[in-house]
Amino acid sequence: MEDILSLPVQDPPCAEFSAAHIKWEKVEGGRQGGDDIALIPFARVDDFVKGESSNAECPASFRIESRRKRSEGSISKPRVDGYLEYTLYWCSYGPEDYRDSEPTMGDGSHTKPATGKGSRPGRRHMMRGCLCHFTVKRLYTRPFLALIIYNQRKHVDKTGAPCHGILDVDAVGTRAMYAPRISEELRQKVMSLLYIGISLDNIIQHHAEVVQGHGGPLNRDDLLTRNDVRNMERIVRNSSYKLHADDEFSVKMWVQRHQKHVFFFQDMSSTEPFILGIQTDWQLQQMIRYGHSGSVASHSTFGLKKLKYPLCTLLVFDSSQNAIPVAWIVASSFVTQDIHKWIGSLAERIRSKDPRWRPNAFLVDDPSFDISFIREAFQCRFLLCAWHVRRAWMRSLLKKCCNIDVQREMFKHLGWILYSTRSGPNADNAVEEFMQVYVDQCIFMDYFKRRWLPCIELWINSIRSLPVASTEPLAAIESYHLRLKSKLFDQQYANSYTRIDWLIHTLTTEFHSLYWLDQYSAETGYFTNVRDKSFLTNAWYQALHIPDVDVILDEQNLQLAKVISQTDRSLAYTIWNPGSEFALCDCPWSRQGNLCKHVIKVAILCKNRQVARPLLASQVYRQALLTLLQNPPDDPLVLEHAILRVSRLQQDIKGLEDLSNNGLLQPSPPEMNSQVGDSLLFFPHLH
């Protein structure tokens, strides 16, 4: 054991792995005459336990038989195998053996088992004397490593004979052929269905159809009973967000009970803010599935006025262009201020499952984000996403300005300010001009001065230094925002807004279940009748289903375009400033301040036909490149570095094409490419 640190750290590339994936070293003198040992990353212990539970010959469920913890610094001279955490896992079919006992009155069933654990209600019938068990030590001197000590790898009883699974002849035809409990995946499925409101009978009927579809029972999950569902139904019915009268204690209790769903937690103190990072197993799977070679977007500072602490969500985009929440961060300070504390933990959690995981781009919706920490964690490109700026200005104009013609002109002028396309390097002049031209719109101007004037320069500078996301993902993010707002800000919950435990409970139960059901329904075709229809109203998704022939676009006059209504063919909606990030439509959805499918459809068509004027973002970038060309650096070292960056332009263009093919970036017009090699993704290098 003195040489254990010289062992290789084994990290199999599969999501879950078992003892068969590991090369073991034998240590003589163990409990069974010799123990097998191996080192793995501590973050992958759960993957190993799941893999061991999926043994084809002996399906099992390993329970924690005992656990001990020590605090760092508690030992002055730790042994090489000394532990911070010690956990003993034992197969649930042992160690007691009740196969020969008859459950009769007075049979001594109250007798305390030999392990000293006391009686185990509901487990006695499954005890078959299995001796399979292993120990996991989180090493004191290497906290990121776990030493696995496999004391007995075979699922056998004290005679050395198989005691459950297909190798046990007595178990054939009984439940002992299978794992003793349903899997976490099935438990997640049933709990989600219950939270959504699916009845017990419908769940059992659906499960029977699934089992029949693959030819009958194959494992313990296929033997789901009404009693299994009834037990989970009772948990859902009796669950409460208020674990303690004091919100702070209640949150701590939740964190303690759901540690596997917490990737970062920092309690509030006199010097440190409260931060809680939440990601369920299902969310982790979706982030790996859709985030790899895709895009991750931030939806930050939600509920700033109503919730006790604002909520930040990380999103990925599925094949139907829906935004899926894959992590929630609740913080007492602005999440942008403390991103360096939790972003690394999240990245480590993801790559512990898939070391090759890497997104194409990260969309930030707040210019105060310190992208250096995100770049270090995710190693990807960055796009600025100004969806909520556009939405806030549009909604405010619709509410505070009555003249539709003035609304259009002011909205277009605000776009010029944000993208500095009319002001050059001096944005103050453009803002001053805007305020003078529309001085009679005093209600909107008061709002603009109070809310946006203090931060407009920060936004303008960020757009000058970062590429900007195209319109399509903005619609998906906005759709998530509306769904989150509808769920959380229902008046029946008004008295709970100031409690963090209520926010956590609502997100991880009902709201989480809505997204789980949408993915499950889309993939399997089940429960389409109860699927939330709002998932099908994503403007990005709807825009893709509008035929090109229904768009009336005069290429000689790009002041406006028209789109024929898909529900009333006699009606056509008008889009002003088509193809621009600040296009405006007169359809009812757009008149509520939302990004509509007609604006997106026209933008897509303008891009494909290459007929629209250069995007505001493209104009910003062209100006930046021309400035560089006209003012080459004098320092030879800097010039050499710049030449190296230019030589990598082709790689950046390839990355641009990948994002554009995924609908996440608007390519520049060809005439600009021929002049300056206009690639939006070149900005991160300049930054």
Side-chain angles (χ1 to χ4, degrees), residues 371-421:
I371 65 173
S372 62
F373 293 109
I374 309 176
R375 177 179 288 126
E376 181 181 353
F378 286 171
Q379 302 170 2
C380 64
R381 301 174 176 88
F382 292 88
L383 305 177
L384 187 62
C385 187
W387 73 272
H388 65 88
V389 179
R390 180 192 186 281
R391 176 179 172 80
W393 287 352
M394 186 175 177
R395 287 172 61 84
S396 184
L397 280 172
L398 294 172
K399 181 179 179 180
K400 304 179 189 304
C401 177
C402 300
N403 189 309
I404 189 170
D405 294 325
V406 176
Q407 290 173 1
R408 292 198 304 266
E409 292 303 313
M410 290 181 70
F411 197 52
K412 183 164 61 175
H413 206 136
L414 286 167
W416 293 342
I417 293 175
L418 189 62
Y419 287 85
S420 307
T421 54

Short mmCIF file of all heavy atoms in Angstrom, two decimals, residues 371-421:
data_model
loop_
_atom_site.label_atom_id
_atom_site.label_comp_id
_atom_site.label_asym_id
_atom_site.label_seq_id
_atom_site.Cartn_x
_atom_site.Cartn_y
_atom_site.Cartn_z
N ILE A 371 -14.82 37.28 -19.88
CA ILE A 371 -14.77 36.12 -20.76
C ILE A 371 -13.47 35.35 -20.62
O ILE A 371 -13.38 34.22 -21.11
CB ILE A 371 -14.99 36.53 -22.22
CG1 ILE A 371 -13.86 37.43 -22.71
CG2 ILE A 371 -16.34 37.19 -22.41
CD1 ILE A 371 -13.92 37.72 -24.19
N SER A 372 -12.46 35.94 -19.97
CA SER A 372 -11.19 35.21 -19.82
C SER A 372 -11.39 33.94 -19.01
O SER A 372 -10.78 32.90 -19.30
CB SER A 372 -10.14 36.11 -19.16
OG SER A 372 -10.54 36.48 -17.85
N PHE A 373 -12.27 33.98 -18.00
CA PHE A 373 -12.51 32.79 -17.19
C PHE A 373 -13.31 31.75 -17.97
O PHE A 373 -13.07 30.54 -17.84
CB PHE A 373 -13.26 33.17 -15.91
CG PHE A 373 -12.46 34.03 -14.97
CD1 PHE A 373 -12.77 35.36 -14.78
CD2 PHE A 373 -11.37 33.50 -14.28
CE1 PHE A 373 -12.03 36.16 -13.92
CE2 PHE A 373 -10.63 34.28 -13.41
CZ PHE A 373 -10.95 35.62 -13.24
N ILE A 374 -14.27 32.23 -18.79
CA ILE A 374 -15.04 31.29 -19.61
C ILE A 374 -14.14 30.67 -20.67
O ILE A 374 -14.22 29.48 -20.96
CB ILE A 374 -16.24 32.00 -20.27
CG1 ILE A 374 -17.05 32.77 -19.23
CG2 ILE A 374 -17.12 31.00 -21.00
CD1 ILE A 374 -18.19 33.57 -19.82
N ARG A 375 -13.28 31.50 -21.27
CA ARG A 375 -12.36 30.98 -22.29
C ARG A 375 -11.44 29.91 -21.71
O ARG A 375 -11.18 28.88 -22.33
CB ARG A 375 -11.55 32.12 -22.89
CG ARG A 375 -10.52 31.65 -23.92
CD ARG A 375 -9.74 32.81 -24.51
NE ARG A 375 -10.56 33.61 -25.39
CZ ARG A 375 -10.73 34.92 -25.29
NH1 ARG A 375 -10.15 35.58 -24.31
NH2 ARG A 375 -11.46 35.58 -26.16
N GLU A 376 -10.95 30.15 -20.50
CA GLU A 376 -10.07 29.18 -19.86
C GLU A 376 -10.81 27.87 -19.56
O GLU A 376 -10.24 26.78 -19.71
CB GLU A 376 -9.50 29.77 -18.56
CG GLU A 376 -8.56 28.84 -17.83
CD GLU A 376 -8.03 29.45 -16.54
OE1 GLU A 376 -8.30 30.65 -16.29
OE2 GLU A 376 -7.36 28.74 -15.77
N ALA A 377 -12.08 27.98 -19.16
CA ALA A 377 -12.84 26.78 -18.78
C ALA A 377 -13.36 26.02 -20.00
O ALA A 377 -13.28 24.79 -20.05
CB ALA A 377 -14.00 27.18 -17.87
N PHE A 378 -13.89 26.75 -20.99
CA PHE A 378 -14.58 26.10 -22.11
C PHE A 378 -13.76 26.08 -23.40
O PHE A 378 -14.10 25.35 -24.33
CB PHE A 378 -15.92 26.78 -22.38
CG PHE A 378 -16.98 26.46 -21.36
CD1 PHE A 378 -18.19 27.13 -21.36
CD2 PHE A 378 -16.77 25.48 -20.40
CE1 PHE A 378 -19.18 26.84 -20.43
CE2 PHE A 378 -17.74 25.18 -19.46
CZ PHE A 378 -18.94 25.86 -19.48
N GLN A 379 -12.74 26.94 -23.49
CA GLN A 379 -11.84 26.95 -24.65
C GLN A 379 -12.61 27.06 -25.96
O GLN A 379 -12.48 26.22 -26.85
CB GLN A 379 -10.97 25.68 -24.65
CG GLN A 379 -10.14 25.52 -23.39
CD GLN A 379 -9.47 24.16 -23.29
OE1 GLN A 379 -9.59 23.33 -24.18
NE2 GLN A 379 -8.76 23.93 -22.21
N CYS A 380 -13.41 28.10 -26.08
CA CYS A 380 -14.25 28.26 -27.27
C CYS A 380 -14.33 29.73 -27.65
O CYS A 380 -13.82 30.61 -26.95
CB CYS A 380 -15.64 27.69 -27.03
SG CYS A 380 -16.57 28.55 -25.74
N ARG A 381 -15.01 30.01 -28.75
CA ARG A 381 -15.23 31.37 -29.22
C ARG A 381 -16.36 32.02 -28.41
O ARG A 381 -17.11 31.35 -27.73
CB ARG A 381 -15.60 31.35 -30.71
CG ARG A 381 -14.54 30.74 -31.59
CD ARG A 381 -15.06 30.62 -33.02
NE ARG A 381 -14.05 30.13 -33.93
CZ ARG A 381 -13.81 28.84 -34.16
NH1 ARG A 381 -14.54 27.93 -33.55
NH2 ARG A 381 -12.87 28.47 -35.00
N PHE A 382 -16.47 33.34 -28.59
CA PHE A 382 -17.48 34.09 -27.85
C PHE A 382 -18.30 34.95 -28.78
O PHE A 382 -17.78 35.55 -29.73
CB PHE A 382 -16.83 34.97 -26.77
CG PHE A 382 -16.21 34.19 -25.68
CD1 PHE A 382 -14.90 33.76 -25.78
CD2 PHE A 382 -16.94 33.84 -24.56
CE1 PHE A 382 -14.32 33.00 -24.79
CE2 PHE A 382 -16.37 33.07 -23.56
CZ PHE A 382 -15.07 32.65 -23.68
N LEU A 383 -19.59 35.00 -28.52
CA LEU A 383 -20.51 35.87 -29.24
C LEU A 383 -21.28 36.69 -28.22
O LEU A 383 -21.65 36.18 -27.15
CB LEU A 383 -21.50 35.06 -30.09
CG LEU A 383 -20.92 34.05 -31.09
CD1 LEU A 383 -22.05 33.30 -31.77
CD2 LEU A 383 -20.06 34.74 -32.11
N LEU A 384 -21.49 37.94 -28.54
CA LEU A 384 -22.30 38.79 -27.67
C LEU A 384 -23.76 38.68 -28.11
O LEU A 384 -24.08 38.76 -29.29
CB LEU A 384 -21.84 40.25 -27.77
CG LEU A 384 -22.50 41.22 -26.79
CD1 LEU A 384 -22.19 40.82 -25.34
CD2 LEU A 384 -22.05 42.64 -27.06
N CYS A 385 -24.63 38.48 -27.15
CA CYS A 385 -26.05 38.25 -27.43
C CYS A 385 -26.85 39.39 -26.79
O CYS A 385 -26.98 39.47 -25.57
CB CYS A 385 -26.46 36.90 -26.84
SG CYS A 385 -28.11 36.38 -27.25
N ALA A 386 -27.36 40.29 -27.63
CA ALA A 386 -28.04 41.48 -27.14
C ALA A 386 -29.55 41.34 -27.17
O ALA A 386 -30.27 42.32 -27.37
CB ALA A 386 -27.60 42.70 -27.96
N TRP A 387 -30.04 40.12 -26.93
CA TRP A 387 -31.48 39.87 -27.07
C TRP A 387 -32.31 40.70 -26.11
O TRP A 387 -33.36 41.24 -26.48
CB TRP A 387 -31.78 38.38 -26.88
CG TRP A 387 -31.68 37.92 -25.45
CD1 TRP A 387 -30.57 37.47 -24.81
CD2 TRP A 387 -32.73 37.90 -24.49
NE1 TRP A 387 -30.84 37.17 -23.51
CE2 TRP A 387 -32.17 37.41 -23.28
CE3 TRP A 387 -34.07 38.23 -24.52
CZ2 TRP A 387 -32.91 37.26 -22.12
CZ3 TRP A 387 -34.83 38.07 -23.37
CH2 TRP A 387 -34.25 37.59 -22.18
N HIS A 388 -31.86 40.83 -24.86
CA HIS A 388 -32.71 41.52 -23.89
C HIS A 388 -32.62 43.04 -24.04
O HIS A 388 -33.52 43.77 -23.63
CB HIS A 388 -32.39 41.09 -22.45
CG HIS A 388 -31.03 41.44 -21.98
ND1 HIS A 388 -30.74 42.63 -21.37
CD2 HIS A 388 -29.86 40.76 -22.00
CE1 HIS A 388 -29.46 42.67 -21.03
NE2 HIS A 388 -28.91 41.55 -21.42
N VAL A 389 -31.54 43.54 -24.66
CA VAL A 389 -31.48 44.97 -24.97
C VAL A 389 -32.52 45.30 -26.05
O VAL A 389 -33.30 46.24 -25.91
CB VAL A 389 -30.07 45.35 -25.46
CG1 VAL A 389 -30.02 46.83 -25.80
CG2 VAL A 389 -29.03 45.02 -24.41
N ARG A 390 -32.49 44.49 -27.11
CA ARG A 390 -33.48 44.67 -28.18
C ARG A 390 -34.90 44.56 -27.65
O ARG A 390 -35.76 45.37 -27.97
CB ARG A 390 -33.24 43.62 -29.27
CG ARG A 390 -34.20 43.71 -30.44
CD ARG A 390 -34.10 42.47 -31.32
NE ARG A 390 -34.90 42.60 -32.53
CZ ARG A 390 -36.21 42.43 -32.60
NH1 ARG A 390 -36.88 42.12 -31.49
NH2 ARG A 390 -36.86 42.58 -33.73
N ARG A 391 -35.14 43.54 -26.82
CA ARG A 391 -36.48 43.31 -26.29
C ARG A 391 -36.92 44.46 -25.37
O ARG A 391 -38.07 44.93 -25.46
CB ARG A 391 -36.49 41.99 -25.52
CG ARG A 391 -37.81 41.67 -24.84
CD ARG A 391 -37.75 40.33 -24.11
NE ARG A 391 -38.94 40.11 -23.31
CZ ARG A 391 -40.10 39.68 -23.80
NH1 ARG A 391 -40.23 39.43 -25.08
NH2 ARG A 391 -41.13 39.51 -23.01
N ALA A 392 -36.03 44.92 -24.51
CA ALA A 392 -36.38 45.99 -23.57
C ALA A 392 -36.70 47.28 -24.32
O ALA A 392 -37.69 47.97 -24.00
CB ALA A 392 -35.24 46.21 -22.59
N TRP A 393 -35.90 47.62 -25.31
CA TRP A 393 -36.15 48.84 -26.07
C TRP A 393 -37.45 48.74 -26.86
O TRP A 393 -38.23 49.68 -26.92
CB TRP A 393 -34.98 49.10 -27.02
CG TRP A 393 -33.75 49.58 -26.30
CD1 TRP A 393 -33.65 49.93 -24.98
CD2 TRP A 393 -32.45 49.77 -26.85
NE1 TRP A 393 -32.37 50.31 -24.67
CE2 TRP A 393 -31.60 50.24 -25.81
CE3 TRP A 393 -31.90 49.59 -28.11
CZ2 TRP A 393 -30.26 50.52 -26.00
CZ3 TRP A 393 -30.56 49.88 -28.31
CH2 TRP A 393 -29.74 50.34 -27.27
N MET A 394 -37.66 47.59 -27.47
CA MET A 394 -38.86 47.41 -28.28
C MET A 394 -40.13 47.49 -27.42
O MET A 394 -41.10 48.18 -27.78
CB MET A 394 -38.79 46.07 -29.00
CG MET A 394 -39.91 45.82 -29.98
SD MET A 394 -39.65 44.27 -30.87
CE MET A 394 -41.14 44.20 -31.87
N ARG A 395 -40.14 46.81 -26.30
CA ARG A 395 -41.32 46.81 -25.42
C ARG A 395 -41.58 48.21 -24.86
O ARG A 395 -42.74 48.63 -24.73
CB ARG A 395 -41.13 45.80 -24.29
CG ARG A 395 -41.25 44.35 -24.74
CD ARG A 395 -40.85 43.38 -23.63
NE ARG A 395 -41.71 43.50 -22.47
CZ ARG A 395 -42.88 42.89 -22.33
NH1 ARG A 395 -43.34 42.11 -23.29
NH2 ARG A 395 -43.60 43.04 -21.23
N SER A 396 -40.51 48.90 -24.53
CA SER A 396 -40.67 50.24 -23.98
C SER A 396 -41.20 51.21 -25.04
O SER A 396 -42.06 52.05 -24.74
CB SER A 396 -39.33 50.74 -23.44
OG SER A 396 -39.48 51.99 -22.82
N LEU A 397 -40.72 51.08 -26.28
CA LEU A 397 -41.22 51.94 -27.35
C LEU A 397 -42.71 51.68 -27.62
O LEU A 397 -43.49 52.61 -27.81
CB LEU A 397 -40.42 51.69 -28.63
CG LEU A 397 -39.06 52.39 -28.73
CD1 LEU A 397 -38.29 51.89 -29.95
CD2 LEU A 397 -39.24 53.90 -28.80
N LEU A 398 -43.09 50.41 -27.64
CA LEU A 398 -44.49 50.07 -27.88
C LEU A 398 -45.40 50.59 -26.78
O LEU A 398 -46.56 50.93 -27.02
CB LEU A 398 -44.64 48.55 -28.01
CG LEU A 398 -43.97 47.90 -29.23
CD1 LEU A 398 -44.02 46.39 -29.13
CD2 LEU A 398 -44.65 48.37 -30.51
N LYS A 399 -44.86 50.65 -25.58
CA LYS A 399 -45.66 51.08 -24.43
C LYS A 399 -45.68 52.61 -24.26
O LYS A 399 -46.71 53.19 -23.91
CB LYS A 399 -45.10 50.43 -23.16
CG LYS A 399 -45.86 50.78 -21.89
CD LYS A 399 -45.25 50.07 -20.69
CE LYS A 399 -45.99 50.42 -19.40
NZ LYS A 399 -45.40 49.73 -18.23
N LYS A 400 -44.55 53.27 -24.57
CA LYS A 400 -44.41 54.69 -24.24
C LYS A 400 -44.54 55.61 -25.46
O LYS A 400 -44.56 56.83 -25.31
CB LYS A 400 -43.05 54.92 -23.57
CG LYS A 400 -42.82 54.06 -22.33
CD LYS A 400 -41.45 54.29 -21.71
CE LYS A 400 -41.11 53.29 -20.62
NZ LYS A 400 -42.08 53.22 -19.55
N CYS A 401 -44.55 55.02 -26.65
CA CYS A 401 -44.67 55.83 -27.87
C CYS A 401 -45.87 55.33 -28.67
O CYS A 401 -45.94 54.14 -29.02
CB CYS A 401 -43.38 55.73 -28.69
SG CYS A 401 -43.45 56.61 -30.25
N CYS A 402 -46.81 56.22 -29.00
CA CYS A 402 -48.07 55.80 -29.62
C CYS A 402 -48.01 55.77 -31.14
O CYS A 402 -48.77 55.05 -31.78
CB CYS A 402 -49.20 56.74 -29.18
SG CYS A 402 -49.46 56.75 -27.40
N ASN A 403 -47.12 56.52 -31.74
CA ASN A 403 -47.05 56.63 -33.20
C ASN A 403 -46.19 55.50 -33.76
O ASN A 403 -45.00 55.41 -33.46
CB ASN A 403 -46.48 57.99 -33.59
CG ASN A 403 -46.58 58.27 -35.08
OD1 ASN A 403 -46.17 57.45 -35.90
ND2 ASN A 403 -47.13 59.42 -35.42
N ILE A 404 -46.79 54.65 -34.61
CA ILE A 404 -46.06 53.49 -35.10
C ILE A 404 -44.90 53.88 -36.01
O ILE A 404 -43.85 53.23 -36.03
CB ILE A 404 -47.02 52.52 -35.82
CG1 ILE A 404 -46.31 51.20 -36.14
CG2 ILE A 404 -47.59 53.14 -37.09
CD1 ILE A 404 -47.23 50.10 -36.63
N ASP A 405 -45.06 54.97 -36.77
CA ASP A 405 -43.97 55.42 -37.63
C ASP A 405 -42.79 55.91 -36.80
O ASP A 405 -41.63 55.64 -37.13
CB ASP A 405 -44.45 56.55 -38.56
CG ASP A 405 -45.49 56.06 -39.56
OD1 ASP A 405 -45.36 54.90 -40.00
OD2 ASP A 405 -46.41 56.82 -39.88
N VAL A 406 -43.08 56.61 -35.73
CA VAL A 406 -42.01 57.08 -34.83
C VAL A 406 -41.35 55.89 -34.14
O VAL A 406 -40.13 55.86 -33.95
CB VAL A 406 -42.57 58.07 -33.80
CG1 VAL A 406 -41.48 58.49 -32.81
CG2 VAL A 406 -43.14 59.30 -34.50
N GLN A 407 -42.15 54.89 -33.77
CA GLN A 407 -41.59 53.68 -33.15
C GLN A 407 -40.54 53.05 -34.06
O GLN A 407 -39.45 52.68 -33.62
CB GLN A 407 -42.70 52.67 -32.87
CG GLN A 407 -43.65 53.04 -31.77
CD GLN A 407 -44.82 52.07 -31.67
OE1 GLN A 407 -44.90 51.10 -32.43
NE2 GLN A 407 -45.74 52.33 -30.76
N ARG A 408 -40.89 52.90 -35.33
CA ARG A 408 -39.97 52.27 -36.28
C ARG A 408 -38.67 53.05 -36.41
O ARG A 408 -37.57 52.48 -36.39
CB ARG A 408 -40.64 52.15 -37.66
CG ARG A 408 -41.79 51.19 -37.72
CD ARG A 408 -42.10 50.80 -39.15
NE ARG A 408 -42.36 51.96 -40.00
CZ ARG A 408 -43.57 52.45 -40.26
NH1 ARG A 408 -44.63 51.86 -39.71
NH2 ARG A 408 -43.74 53.48 -41.06
N GLU A 409 -38.79 54.37 -36.55
CA GLU A 409 -37.59 55.19 -36.75
C GLU A 409 -36.72 55.21 -35.50
O GLU A 409 -35.49 55.16 -35.58
CB GLU A 409 -38.00 56.61 -37.15
CG GLU A 409 -38.62 56.72 -38.52
CD GLU A 409 -37.70 56.15 -39.60
OE1 GLU A 409 -36.50 56.48 -39.60
OE2 GLU A 409 -38.18 55.36 -40.43
N MET A 410 -37.35 55.29 -34.33
CA MET A 410 -36.58 55.30 -33.09
C MET A 410 -35.89 53.96 -32.88
O MET A 410 -34.73 53.90 -32.44
CB MET A 410 -37.50 55.61 -31.90
CG MET A 410 -38.02 57.03 -31.86
SD MET A 410 -39.08 57.37 -30.43
CE MET A 410 -37.87 57.34 -29.09
N PHE A 411 -36.58 52.86 -33.20
CA PHE A 411 -36.00 51.53 -33.04
C PHE A 411 -34.78 51.37 -33.95
O PHE A 411 -33.74 50.84 -33.54
CB PHE A 411 -37.06 50.48 -33.36
CG PHE A 411 -36.73 49.10 -32.86
CD1 PHE A 411 -36.38 48.88 -31.54
CD2 PHE A 411 -36.77 48.01 -33.71
CE1 PHE A 411 -36.09 47.61 -31.07
CE2 PHE A 411 -36.48 46.73 -33.27
CZ PHE A 411 -36.14 46.54 -31.94
N LYS A 412 -34.91 51.85 -35.19
CA LYS A 412 -33.78 51.78 -36.12
C LYS A 412 -32.62 52.65 -35.65
O LYS A 412 -31.45 52.25 -35.73
CB LYS A 412 -34.24 52.20 -37.52
CG LYS A 412 -33.18 52.09 -38.59
CD LYS A 412 -33.77 52.15 -39.98
CE LYS A 412 -34.50 53.45 -40.25
NZ LYS A 412 -34.98 53.54 -41.65
N HIS A 413 -32.93 53.82 -35.12
CA HIS A 413 -31.90 54.73 -34.63
C HIS A 413 -31.17 54.14 -33.42
O HIS A 413 -29.95 54.28 -33.29
CB HIS A 413 -32.54 56.08 -34.24
CG HIS A 413 -31.60 57.23 -34.31
ND1 HIS A 413 -31.92 58.44 -34.86
CD2 HIS A 413 -30.30 57.35 -33.91
CE1 HIS A 413 -30.89 59.26 -34.78
NE2 HIS A 413 -29.90 58.62 -34.19
N LEU A 414 -31.92 53.46 -32.55
CA LEU A 414 -31.29 52.79 -31.40
C LEU A 414 -30.31 51.71 -31.87
O LEU A 414 -29.27 51.49 -31.26
CB LEU A 414 -32.36 52.19 -30.50
CG LEU A 414 -33.17 53.18 -29.65
CD1 LEU A 414 -34.39 52.50 -29.04
CD2 LEU A 414 -32.28 53.78 -28.56
N GLY A 415 -30.67 51.01 -32.95
CA GLY A 415 -29.76 50.02 -33.52
C GLY A 415 -28.48 50.66 -34.01
O GLY A 415 -27.38 50.12 -33.80
N TRP A 416 -28.60 51.83 -34.64
CA TRP A 416 -27.39 52.53 -35.10
C TRP A 416 -26.50 52.90 -33.91
O TRP A 416 -25.27 52.81 -33.99
CB TRP A 416 -27.79 53.80 -35.84
CG TRP A 416 -28.50 53.55 -37.15
CD1 TRP A 416 -28.51 52.39 -37.86
CD2 TRP A 416 -29.30 54.48 -37.87
NE1 TRP A 416 -29.27 52.52 -38.99
CE2 TRP A 416 -29.77 53.81 -39.03
CE3 TRP A 416 -29.68 55.81 -37.67
CZ2 TRP A 416 -30.59 54.43 -39.97
CZ3 TRP A 416 -30.49 56.43 -38.61
CH2 TRP A 416 -30.94 55.75 -39.75
N ILE A 417 -27.13 53.35 -32.82
CA ILE A 417 -26.35 53.72 -31.63
C ILE A 417 -25.61 52.51 -31.07
O ILE A 417 -24.40 52.56 -30.81
CB ILE A 417 -27.27 54.33 -30.55
CG1 ILE A 417 -27.84 55.67 -31.02
CG2 ILE A 417 -26.51 54.49 -29.24
CD1 ILE A 417 -28.85 56.27 -30.06
N LEU A 418 -26.35 51.42 -30.89
CA LEU A 418 -25.75 50.24 -30.27
C LEU A 418 -24.59 49.71 -31.09
O LEU A 418 -23.57 49.28 -30.55
CB LEU A 418 -26.82 49.16 -30.09
CG LEU A 418 -26.43 47.94 -29.26
CD1 LEU A 418 -26.11 48.35 -27.83
CD2 LEU A 418 -27.55 46.91 -29.25
N TYR A 419 -24.73 49.73 -32.41
CA TYR A 419 -23.69 49.18 -33.28
C TYR A 419 -22.74 50.25 -33.81
O TYR A 419 -21.88 49.95 -34.63
CB TYR A 419 -24.33 48.42 -34.44
CG TYR A 419 -24.94 47.11 -34.02
CD1 TYR A 419 -26.23 47.05 -33.52
CD2 TYR A 419 -24.22 45.93 -34.10
CE1 TYR A 419 -26.80 45.85 -33.11
CE2 TYR A 419 -24.77 44.72 -33.69
CZ TYR A 419 -26.06 44.69 -33.21
OH TYR A 419 -26.61 43.49 -32.80
N SER A 420 -22.93 51.51 -33.37
CA SER A 420 -22.01 52.61 -33.71
C SER A 420 -21.83 52.77 -35.21
O SER A 420 -20.75 53.16 -35.68
CB SER A 420 -20.64 52.38 -33.07
OG SER A 420 -20.75 52.15 -31.70
N THR A 421 -22.85 52.46 -35.99
CA THR A 421 -22.69 52.51 -37.45
C THR A 421 -22.79 53.94 -37.99
O THR A 421 -22.43 54.18 -39.14
CB THR A 421 -23.76 51.66 -38.13
OG1 THR A 421 -25.05 52.07 -37.69
CG2 THR A 421 -23.56 50.19 -37.80
#
